[in-house]
């Protein structure tokens, strides 16, 4: 028996010690921020999503597309929840190419709620040319397409704590991660040093700084606040039904817990007179 | 264990039908009267849980297929369409995506249950082999399903796995091009994977029927690994005893499943699969779904490509020979003091391989993978055959009824069967 324990311990040591001989070291991990939509009862903060939308629209959207967003989403419950009139007003500020009309010609018209969020560039090569050769990624699902590497044992505890905010934490960290390159690091021409970007050299120049976007609700107009708000907005863009999901999840849990309790006692009663 | 049905149709119409097609009698004998050993523990509820998961996957999958389009330029967007524009599409997709992981969690518990209690031994060899076939079909189905969202991991996972076949000498390249329907993974690949992903679950359902048929023919194994001697004393009828226990276990499993669907839906997935497939940009680490990781580790631990492929498939194929590799006559690890220890070591090795499969193939990880891969095969090919000859099993209880009473603390005539001196 002792041998087994020893062997088991050796095997465990081998596993858990494994990261020690990993060839590459880990960079700074994004800090885990507190988000209103985290945890089993989390919901989006409507005001925050509205501010985030402002940052997205005035800053991000000038280079990044968000192809899976519709104008109608802006009025959606569990989202920025603008009034329909507000969403219509936003849509009408954009010119959308429609057609062909009965003359066989394409034409421009103001946007409607049923239109997709218009992309800033007509195609990928155009976006590359305008951005020094780098393609700004589509932001529709970016909050789910990014995460920070947790490793062992974080990935196990995350299953219990329901940590699903790796993407937003990364976005927040990235936007705050533009610092001077440490000594000895040469940043290539056209790239910028970022503490949290994999490889540290990112084509996107520092997009946000204090005071850049005007907030009308008294929220501090700081880089940290902008990055939180826009990260939250991007989380909503990637997961628009999060509020509904968590609400239904709670109902499902109540139902299943009650049902399993009833079944447990029924099972006990059925088996009462059987030795097993 | 068949023929215990006491079903007698009471009304005339039922009698008329039963004499022409004994369908109700079949259901009665296999789901109501079927004798179940009294001493089964909750590990025996995973068969029912797996059946439930197969139904969940087929139903949710059929609904997803109604909204999905297998065409490389739009498939990623179609999945997002399901997530955003289809009523409760997000729920159906999260059920299906996490359902695959739940299916594998349940099947791994089911397989390790079989390993621990010796459920693969005579007379259950065919039952076991059918199970391994289901497992292989599940892996093929899950792999192709993961390709359908056409994200980065879909594309590159498909590229890595299909490329394995290029290791076959002489005809490898031709086979790979035939699988792809072109010179790289592309739209033809996506389309055929979709077709096969829809087909294979029904093949699984077919083999599941054979699996259950074989089970009901030979009867269930049990934690003591001894045969049923008296139906009256050792067993209880399936309904209500197993029915209620299985239902309870299924609901508890659904609770576990719901945790992921509603609160951590992307926990089991890889963030890179939310990036549309891009043949020009290889992800930093291509990682398969977690349930393939042990085999992925075995594949990468062998420096030779063909050797790696052979070992990876060998790691699964070896399971087919398990009934004959294990030479011990005693089934349950409860009465096999040595095997019990090796079982747990094997469990740790399998989990360890899974961890190593998720790490980059470099440095110490490769060395560790090689050691554990070697142990994986040593376990089956050397330890199990030898153990049967050198191990002294503990005395077996005379019957299931005796084993149950012993557990209850009653005085028992223990060891009525002679303690085996050799396996």
């Amino acid at each position: 028996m002792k041998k087994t324990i020893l062997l088991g311990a050796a095997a465990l040591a081998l596993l858990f010690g494994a990261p020690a001989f990993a060839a590459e070291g880990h960079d700074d991990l994004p800090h885990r921020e507190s988000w209103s939509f985290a945890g089993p009862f989390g919901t989006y903060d409507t005001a925050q999503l509205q501010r985030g939308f402002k940052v997205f629209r005035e800053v991000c959207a000038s280079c990044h597309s968000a192809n899976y967003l519709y104008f109608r989403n802006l009025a959606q419950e569990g989202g920025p929840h603008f009034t329909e009139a507000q969403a219509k007003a936003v849509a009408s500020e954009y010119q959308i190419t429609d057609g062909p009309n009965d003359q066989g010609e394409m034409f421009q018209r103001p946007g409607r709620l049923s239109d997709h969020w218009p992309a800033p560039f007509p195609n990928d090569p155009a976006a590359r040319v305008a951005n020094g050769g780098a393609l700004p990624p589509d932001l529709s699902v970016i909050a789910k397409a990014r995460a920070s590497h947790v490793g062992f044992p974080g990935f196990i505890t995350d299953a219990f704590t329901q940590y699903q905010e790796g993407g937003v934490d990364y976005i927040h960290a990235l936007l705050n991660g533009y610092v001077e390159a440490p000594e000895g690091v040469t940043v290539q021409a056209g790239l910028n040093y970022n503490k949290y970007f994999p490889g540290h050299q990112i084509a996107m120049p520092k997009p946000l700084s204090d005071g850049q976007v005007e907030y009308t609700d008294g929220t501090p107009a700081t880089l940290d606040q902008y990055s939180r708000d826009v990260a939250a907005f991007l989380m909503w863009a990637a997961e628009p039904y999060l509020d509904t999901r968590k609400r239904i999840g709670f109902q499902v849990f109540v139902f299943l817990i009650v049902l399993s309790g009833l079944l447990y006692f029924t099972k006990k009663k059925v088996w009462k007179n059987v030795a097993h | 264990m068949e023929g215990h049905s006491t079903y007698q149709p009471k009304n005339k119409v039922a009698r008329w039908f039963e004499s022409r097609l004994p369908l109700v009698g079949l259901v009665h004998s296999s789901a109501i009267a079927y004798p179940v050993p009294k001493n089964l523990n909750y590990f025996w509820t995973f068969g029912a849980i797996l059946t439930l998961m197969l139904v969940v996957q087929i139903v949710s999958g059929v609904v997803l297929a109604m909204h999905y389009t297998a065409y490389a330029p739009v498939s990623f967007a179609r999945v997002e369409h399901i997530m955003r524009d289809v009523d409760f599409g997000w729920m159906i997709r999260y059920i299906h995506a996490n359902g695959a992981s739940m299916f594998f969690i349940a099947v791994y518990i089911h397989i390790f249950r079989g390993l621990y209690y010796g459920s693969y031994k005579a007379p259950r060899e065919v039952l076991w082999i059918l199970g391994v076939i289901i497992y292989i079909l599940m892996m093929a189905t899950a792999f192709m399903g993961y390709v359908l969202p056409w994200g980065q991991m879909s594309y590159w996972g498909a590229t890595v796995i299909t490329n394995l076949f290029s290791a076959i000498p002489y005809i490898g390249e031709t086979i790979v091009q035939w699988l792809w329907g072109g010179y790289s993974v592309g739209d033809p690949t996506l389309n055929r994977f979709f077709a096969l992903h829809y087909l294979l679950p029904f093949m699984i359902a077919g083999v599941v029927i054979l699996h259950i048929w074989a089970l009901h023919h030979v009867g269930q194994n049990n934690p003591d690994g001894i045969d049923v001697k008296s139906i009256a004393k050792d067993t209880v009828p399936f309904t209500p005893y197993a029915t209620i226990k299985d239902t309870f276990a299924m609901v508890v499993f659904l609770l576990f499943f719901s945790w992921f669907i509603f609160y951590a839906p992307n926990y089991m997935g890889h963030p890179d699969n939310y990036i549309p497939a891009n043949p020009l940009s290889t992800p930093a680490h291509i990682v398969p779904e977690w349930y393939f990781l042990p085999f992925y580790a075995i594949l990468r631990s062998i420096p030779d490509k063909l050797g790696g492929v052979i070992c990876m498939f060998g790691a699964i194929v070896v399971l087919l020979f398990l009934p004959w590799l294990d030479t011990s006559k005693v089934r349950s690890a409860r009465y096999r003091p040595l095997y019990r220890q090796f079982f747990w070591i094997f469990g740790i090795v399998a989990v360890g391989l899974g961890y190593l499969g998720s790490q980059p193939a470099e440095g110490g990880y490769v060395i560790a993978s090689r050691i554990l891969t070697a142990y994986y095969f040593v376990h089956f090919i050397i330890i199990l055959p030898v153990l049967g000859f050198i191990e002294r099993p503990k005395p077996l209880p005379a019957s299931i009824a005796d084993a149950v009473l012993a557990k209850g603390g009653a005085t028992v005539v223990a060891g009525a069967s002679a303690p085996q001196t050799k396996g």
Side-chain angles (χ1 to χ4, degrees):
Chain A
M1 198 59 203
K2 250 186 192 158
K3 241 186 199 163
T4 332
I5 297 171
L6 272 176
L7 262 171
L12 284 174
L14 191 75
L15 287 176
F16 297 175
F21 44 71
E24 51 180 322
H26 286 304
D27 303 321
D28 282 331
L29 286 179
H31 182 253
R32 293 191 172 190
E33 305 294 328
S34 105
W35 301 99
S36 70
F37 45 84
F41 302 105
T43 51
Y44 290 119
D45 171 354
T46 310
Q48 182 176 47
L49 295 192
Q50 296 196 355
R51 291 194 303 272
F53 171 66
K54 195 161 196 278
V55 177
F56 165 78
R57 187 185 179 191
E58 290 177 20
V59 184
C60 316
S62 44
C63 300
H64 291 273
S65 61
N67 291 333
Y68 303 131
L69 270 191
Y70 290 90
F71 286 114
R72 62 175 160 82
N73 295 140
L74 295 175
Q76 205 163 288
E77 227 177 297
H81 209 180
F82 289 104
T83 62
E84 200 173 305
Q86 284 173 315
K88 270 185 182 155
V90 172
S92 65
E93 287 170 38
Y94 291 85
Q95 286 296 310
I96 306 288
T97 308
D98 202 346
N101 60 15
D102 49 14
Q103 301 300 308
E105 276 153 13
M106 303 302 278
F107 59 91
Q108 297 277 307
R109 59 158 176 80
R112 300 181 195 132
L113 288 182
S114 57
D115 285 320
H116 277 279
W117 185 262
F121 301 103
N123 50 51
D124 285 358
R128 278 185 193 280
V129 166
N131 289 285
L135 180 69
D138 186 89
L139 295 186
S140 315
V141 283
I142 200 88
K144 290 196 286 189
R146 296 288 183 275
S148 54
H149 179 74
V150 245
F152 187 86
F155 82 93
I156 291 176
T157 51
D158 284 352
F160 294 95
T161 59
Q162 306 180 346
Y163 179 69
Q164 289 277 289
E165 289 77 38
V168 254
D169 281 338
Y170 171 78
I171 293 168
H172 172 265
L174 184 88
L175 293 172
N176 287 283
Y178 287 88
V179 291
E180 284 289 310
E183 267 183 65
V185 175
T186 18
V187 180
Q188 288 178 50
L191 296 183
N192 307 276
Y193 190 84
N194 190 300
K195 232 162 74 173
Y196 298 103
F197 189 71
H200 299 305
Q201 309 213 9
I202 183 169
M204 173 168 74
K206 187 176 192 288
L208 285 167
S209 35
D210 291 348
Q212 189 178 343
V213 180
E214 196 191 339
Y215 276 170
T216 50
D217 61 353
T219 313
T222 58
L223 166 63
D224 180 66
Q225 189 62 43
Y226 292 151
S227 53
R228 272 168 213 282
D229 294 347
V230 81
F233 173 80
L234 291 174
M235 186 69 217
W236 167 78
E239 190 74 14
Y241 291 106
L242 180 143
D243 285 13
T244 321
R245 165 158 66 75
K246 292 190 174 179
R247 199 186 61 236
I248 295 179
F250 182 68
Q251 295 163 351
V252 167
F253 263 76
V254 170
F255 173 79
L256 287 179
I257 286 170
V258 170
L259 180 61
S260 62
L262 294 174
L263 285 167
Y264 175 74
F265 290 111
T266 316
K267 187 252 161 195
K268 269 196 98 125
K269 184 150 189 235
V270 166
W271 282 80
K272 210 174 75 188
N273 296 320
V274 180
H276 61 280
Chain B
M1 303 283 277
E2 281 168 317
H4 303 291
S5 177
T6 48
Y7 177 68
Q8 287 294 338
K10 287 201 181 64
N11 81 43
K12 242 178 152 178
V13 180
R15 258 203 303 277
W16 180 89
F17 187 78
E18 193 68 9
S19 63
R20 280 149 184 86
L21 179 67
L23 187 67
V24 185
L26 176 71
V27 172
H28 185 270
S29 71
S30 51
I32 295 172
Y34 175 64
V36 173
K38 277 178 179 177
N39 56 342
L40 298 188
N41 56 33
Y42 273 99
F43 286 110
W44 264 265
T45 59
F46 280 88
I49 289 169
L50 284 161
T51 314
L52 172 74
M53 285 316 300
L54 181 62
V55 173
V56 166
Q57 288 304 86
I58 289 180
V59 171
S60 59
V62 167
V63 177
L64 287 176
M66 292 175 188
H67 300 281
Y68 171 79
T69 308
Y71 175 50
V74 303
S75 283
F76 186 88
R78 286 305 283 182
V79 172
E80 278 309 309
H81 158 74
I82 292 171
M83 293 295 288
R84 290 152 186 277
D85 304 328
V86 173
D87 283 346
F88 294 101
W90 57 269
M91 197 198 285
I92 297 162
R93 173 163 175 258
Y94 280 154
I95 285 172
H96 198 71
N98 286 289
S101 285
M102 297 297 131
F103 210 153
F104 275 95
I105 288 172
V107 93
Y108 282 131
I109 294 173
H110 194 65
I111 291 171
F112 274 89
R113 194 283 321 268
L115 292 178
Y116 188 82
Y117 295 111
S119 300
Y120 46 84
K121 290 185 196 181
R124 299 185 181 82
E125 300 95 323
V126 172
L127 173 62
W128 171 262
I129 289 170
L130 288 167
V132 175
I133 293 171
I134 294 171
Y135 175 50
I136 294 169
L137 286 172
M138 275 175 67
M139 290 201 280
T141 311
F143 162 66
M144 293 187 201
Y146 195 56
V147 175
L148 303 183
W150 211 238
Q152 275 289 68
M153 280 298 157
S154 300
Y155 181 89
W156 290 99
T159 302
V160 168
I161 301 300
T162 48
N163 255 317
L164 295 180
F165 292 92
S166 71
I168 302 169
Y170 306 113
I171 50 167
E173 289 294 330
T174 318
I175 289 180
V176 172
Q177 283 174 14
W178 177 74
L179 286 173
W180 285 340
Y183 296 103
S184 68
V185 173
D187 189 51
T189 327
L190 174 60
N191 264 286
R192 63 192 55 187
F193 277 20
F194 182 44
L196 292 172
H197 183 70
Y198 207 118
L199 168 71
L200 289 186
F202 296 97
M203 292 176 62
I204 293 177
V207 186
V208 164
I209 290 170
L210 295 180
H211 190 66
I212 295 174
W213 185 11
L215 172 76
H216 283 217
H217 184 66
V218 295
Q220 277 162 300
N221 186 28
N222 57 78
D224 291 297
I226 50 179
D227 293 326
V228 169
K229 298 222 166 68
S230 149
I231 301 252
K233 285 188 195 149
D234 293 344
T235 70
V236 286
F238 193 86
T239 301
Y241 294 96
T243 324
I244 186 71
K245 193 176 175 182
D246 284 349
T247 312
F248 169 61
M250 284 192 278
V251 172
V252 172
F253 192 79
L254 284 180
L255 264 169
F256 174 69
F257 185 9
S258 303
W259 180 273
F260 290 95
I261 300 170
F262 295 103
Y263 296 126
N266 293 304
Y267 174 76
M268 306 273 191
H270 196 290
D272 276 12
N273 228 25
Y274 279 107
I275 304 171
N278 181 355
L280 299 177
S281 150
T282 317
H285 300 300
I286 301 173
V287 193
E289 289 278 77
W290 68 267
Y291 34 80
F292 295 133
L293 289 174
F295 302 106
Y296 194 55
I298 291 173
L299 169 77
R300 295 190 308 178
S301 69
I302 312 291
D304 173 63
K305 189 174 179 185
L306 181 60
V309 173
I310 290 171
C311 283
M312 185 182 74
F313 286 113
I316 302 163
V317 171
V318 75
L319 294 173
L320 293 170
F321 297 95
L322 183 58
W324 297 278
L325 286 170
D326 186 342
T327 50
S328 174
K329 295 279 183 296
V330 176
R331 293 194 191 104
S332 171
R334 270 191 191 170
Y335 304 101
R336 298 188 60 192
L338 279 178
Y339 172 69
R340 184 155 64 184
Q341 300 183 32
F342 283 107
F343 169 84
W344 287 110
I345 296 172
F346 178 74
I348 293 169
V349 166
V351 173
L353 279 170
Y355 176 73
L356 293 168
S358 74
Q359 298 303 312
E362 55 197 16
Y365 293 129
V366 176
I367 299 165
S369 303
R370 284 186 190 153
I371 296 169
L372 297 196
T373 300
Y375 186 85
Y376 182 98
F377 287 102
V378 166
H379 175 83
F380 286 110
I381 294 167
I382 298 172
I383 294 174
L384 285 186
V386 172
L387 224 46
F389 295 103
I390 60 168
E391 187 178 46
R392 273 181 85 91
K394 290 188 201 163
L396 294 173
S399 70
I400 291 175
D402 283 340
V404 163
L405 289 174
K407 206 179 116 200
T411 40
V412 203
V413 212
S417 68
Q420 270 79 355
T421 40
K422 272 185 176 181

